[in-house]
């Protein structure tokens, strides 16, 4: 599977290597409000590109960080979360990750651990945050401390896509962190994935090659 | 001509949307039965709701009824056409906070999302609202103290 990373034909992910292109991914369960958050942040700019074959939605955005203009692609799932796991190309070359849960549904908070684990398998070092969405449903939740972010050492935001609370602040901070990370990356995972891609190409010449062989290789590479 | 929608429901035979509304000037309360045409058990409820919401003859009356509510009513009508009971339809909208929505297919997930949208729309601040603030910030770091019970079972990485 990992060998397929970056192979979505409509999306040349090589562009994310250039200085001005940033990729930020969203993770979280179905119906936690990931798309609603994107829409609230982008407002009129909101022009999603649906790639339904890949259960993927892309939102393009331009931002200025410092004195530099950057083009950001936000990657949002379009039902891919149903498989409890994302295709490796979703994580490939990502510069930051926004993890969302619904404050009204405990299961979506509990599942953050799974999403975070999968994220770190592919992107051990990229900036990440936890977003508690739908606080407009019951503002009292903001008096509670949710430990997941603290425990993983990542920022935590109480937000509402409906009334807009902290949505723009969260996105702006994540964009800044994504750009900083890009300027000073500490992940070797891109190189590892590159290796896996090469490996896959070699393997393909052998019709007997078993894809499972790839999976068993990857833990040793961590 | 101004109307205030009071209640909205369905009638199975013939398939119709029923609206109880008040005429704002005269205070008269009236019932309007809107037959649902060109709608079958295979129809797209979201498109049907959108069509009705923008229907030249009905749109003034339906102004106060959200599109997601109209969609819900169409789902009830369609379920009935498919031989499903009203109880079944209503149960499919109900939100169970412990249910794993990742497991639902598109249709079932759409029903839950429709229900969630009711609250979203109710609390939503629109760009045209006079008190709309794009970059609305609130600091909750000072108020956060209470431990969250969701963190209690620590065996799963929390």
């Amino acid at each position: 599977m990992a060998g397929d990373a970056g192979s979505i034909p409509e999306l040349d992910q090589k562009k994310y290597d250039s200085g001005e292109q940033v990729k930020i991914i969203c993770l979280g369960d179905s119906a936690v409000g990931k798309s609603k958050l994107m829409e609230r942040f982008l407002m009129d700019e909101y022009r999603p590109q649906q790639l339904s074959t890949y259960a993927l939605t892309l939102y393009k955005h331009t931002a200025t960080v410092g004195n530099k203009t950057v083009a950001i692609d936000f990657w949002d799932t379009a039902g891919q979360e149903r498989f409890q796991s994302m295709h490796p190309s979703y994580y490939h070359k990502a510069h930051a990750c926004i993890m969302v849960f619904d404050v009204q549904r405990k299961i979506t908070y509990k599942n953050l651990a799974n999403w975070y684990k999968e994220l770190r398998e592919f992107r051990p070092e990229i900036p990440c945050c936890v977003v508690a969405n739908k606080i407009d449903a019951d503002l009292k939740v903001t008096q509670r401390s949710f430990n997941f972010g603290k425990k993983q050492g990542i920022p935590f935001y109480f937000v509402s896509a409906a009334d807009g609370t902290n949505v723009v602040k969260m996105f702006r901070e994540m964009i800044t962190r994504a750009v900083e990370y890009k300027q000073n990356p500490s992940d070797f995972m891109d190189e590892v994935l590159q290796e896996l891609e090469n490996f896959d190409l070699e393997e393909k010449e052998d019709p007997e090659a078993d894809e499972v062989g790839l999976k068993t290789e990857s833990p040793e590479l961590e | 001509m101004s109307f205030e929608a009071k209640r909205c429901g369905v009638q199975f035979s013939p398939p119709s949307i029923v609206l109880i509304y008040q005429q704002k000037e005269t205070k008269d309360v009236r019932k309007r039965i809107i037959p649902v045409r060109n709608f079958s058990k295979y129809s797209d409820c979201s498109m049907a709701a959108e069509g009705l919401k923008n229907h030249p003859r009905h749109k003034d009356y339906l102004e106060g009824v959200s599109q997601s509510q109209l969609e819900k009513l169409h789902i009830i009508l369609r379920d009935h056409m498919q031989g499903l009971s009203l109880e079944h339809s209503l149960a499919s909208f109900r939100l169970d906070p412990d249910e794993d929505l990742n497991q639902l297919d598109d249709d079932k997930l759409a029903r839950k999302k429709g229900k969630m949208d009711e609250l979203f729309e109710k609390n939503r601040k629109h760009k045209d609202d006079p008190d709309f603030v794009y970059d609305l910030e609130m600091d909750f770091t000072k108020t956060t103290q209470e431990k969250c019970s969701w963190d209690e079972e620590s065996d799963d990485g929390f």
Side-chain angles (χ1 to χ4, degrees):
Chain A
M1 260 172 66
D4 290 334
S7 68
I8 296 177
E10 283 95 330
L11 290 164
D12 183 5
Q13 297 218 52
K14 284 205 173 64
K15 71 175 182 181
Y16 297 125
D17 294 333
S18 92
E20 305 75 34
Q21 296 274 351
V22 173
K23 171 178 174 181
I24 299 179
I25 58 174
C26 298
L27 283 181
D29 280 11
S30 291
V32 294
K34 299 185 289 292
S35 307
K36 290 260 197 303
L37 286 168
M38 289 303 329
E39 289 165 27
R40 177 55 178 75
F41 174 62
L42 297 174
M43 304 295 294
D44 293 337
E45 220 193 321
Y46 162 65
R47 282 185 315 269
Q49 181 190 359
Q50 302 279 357
L51 297 165
S52 46
T53 324
Y54 309 102
L56 180 69
T57 307
L58 288 194
Y59 301 82
K60 294 191 181 297
H61 174 65
T62 309
T64 310
V65 178
N67 49 10
K68 208 172 149 196
T69 303
V70 284
I72 300 140
D73 281 354
F74 288 103
W75 287 49
D76 185 15
T77 73
Q80 210 182 132
E81 61 271 44
R82 202 165 292 161
F83 305 105
Q84 306 284 333
S85 165
M86 304 299 289
H87 190 273
S89 60
Y90 194 76
Y91 299 102
H92 190 55
K93 294 185 196 279
H95 301 110
C97 173
I98 296 167
M99 288 201 309
V100 188
F101 74 99
D102 174 350
V103 293
Q104 296 207 287
R105 291 189 292 133
K106 180 179 173 179
I107 188 166
T108 67
Y109 179 66
K110 286 294 180 189
N111 274 338
L112 287 180
N114 302 327
W115 291 119
Y116 193 67
K117 185 166 167 277
E118 186 171 274
L119 169 74
R120 289 313 185 203
E121 277 167 23
F122 292 98
R123 304 297 277 155
E125 303 284 348
I126 62 168
C128 181
C129 72
V130 178
V131 173
N133 189 26
K134 310 194 189 179
I135 58 164
D136 56 280
D138 178 12
L139 262 181
K140 276 198 245 115
V141 299
T142 61
Q143 292 165 13
R144 284 153 57 180
S145 78
F146 292 86
N147 249 329
F148 184 73
K150 215 178 289 167
K151 194 155 181 187
Q152 305 296 345
I154 54 179
F156 179 95
Y157 298 90
F158 280 118
V159 312
S160 159
D163 66 27
T165 306
N166 293 338
V167 174
V168 175
K169 174 187 161 77
M170 181 275 288
F171 274 104
R172 282 189 182 146
E173 290 181 4
M174 288 310 288
I175 290 169
T176 305
R177 292 177 64 205
V179 171
E180 280 169 3
Y181 168 80
K182 200 183 161 98
Q183 285 161 353
N184 190 13
S186 42
D187 270 349
F188 297 103
M189 214 50 195
D190 277 338
E191 287 165 42
V192 173
L193 281 169
Q194 192 62 52
E195 286 301 312
L196 284 168
E197 274 166 43
N198 296 339
F199 182 74
D200 189 38
L201 285 174
E202 286 159 28
E203 286 292 305
K204 268 182 186 147
E205 284 159 22
D206 177 8
E208 301 295 316
D210 188 356
E211 238 190 288
V212 180
L214 270 180
K215 283 189 200 153
T216 51
E217 288 286 321
S218 35
E220 295 168 26
L221 290 163
E222 281 184 2
Chain B
M1 221 180 19
S2 183
F3 312 100
E4 191 188 333
K6 291 284 185 193
R7 297 179 69 193
C8 201
V10 293
Q11 175 181 296
F12 287 139
S13 179
S16 320
I17 303 287
V18 184
L19 176 74
I20 311 284
Y21 66 94
Q22 189 173 44
Q23 217 141 14
K24 276 188 185 161
E25 283 136 46
T26 61
K27 301 277 177 207
D28 284 348
V29 176
R30 315 194 69 145
K31 177 155 87 175
R32 186 176 180 86
I33 297 178
I34 307 168
V36 173
R37 300 186 205 280
N38 302 320
F39 186 76
S40 78
K41 62 179 170 182
Y42 305 112
S43 294
D44 182 322
C45 294
S46 146
M47 274 170 63
E50 194 183 341
L52 189 60
K53 183 92 178 138
N54 298 316
H55 195 286
R57 277 186 46 217
H58 306 301
K59 67 174 182 193
D60 290 341
Y61 297 89
L62 293 171
E63 218 187 305
V65 184
S66 74
Q67 193 167 310
S68 63
Q69 188 176 359
L70 289 175
E71 183 175 345
K72 217 169 115 182
L73 295 172
H74 279 86
I75 290 174
I76 293 173
L77 286 173
R78 194 182 61 184
D79 281 353
H80 180 75
M81 290 170 176
Q82 290 176 352
L84 300 167
S85 70
L86 180 61
E87 288 70 33
H88 172 279
S89 306
L90 296 179
S92 76
F93 298 124
R94 218 161 288 143
L95 290 175
D96 169 2
D98 297 323
E99 188 180 10
D100 184 355
L101 301 184
N102 293 337
Q103 307 298 329
L104 301 183
D105 61 34
D106 282 341
D107 176 72
K108 293 205 179 80
L109 183 61
R111 289 168 193 244
K112 306 293 182 189
K113 281 188 171 178
K115 184 73 192 165
M116 290 177 182
D117 274 350
E118 289 174 18
L119 184 70
F120 179 82
E121 288 299 335
K122 200 178 128 239
N123 293 342
R124 184 176 195 171
K125 280 268 179 296
H126 287 271
K127 198 174 55 134
D128 308 320
D129 292 346
D131 56 345
F132 177 84
V133 180
Y134 173 62
D135 184 6
L136 180 65
E137 289 189 21
M138 275 174 94
D139 185 3
F140 296 108
T141 51
K142 288 178 186 70
T143 52
T144 310
Q145 291 130 2
E146 208 182 305
K147 257 185 89 182
C148 176
S149 64
W150 290 2
D151 285 314
E152 268 160 24
E153 309 114 74
S154 56
D155 54 330
D156 49 3
F158 277 75

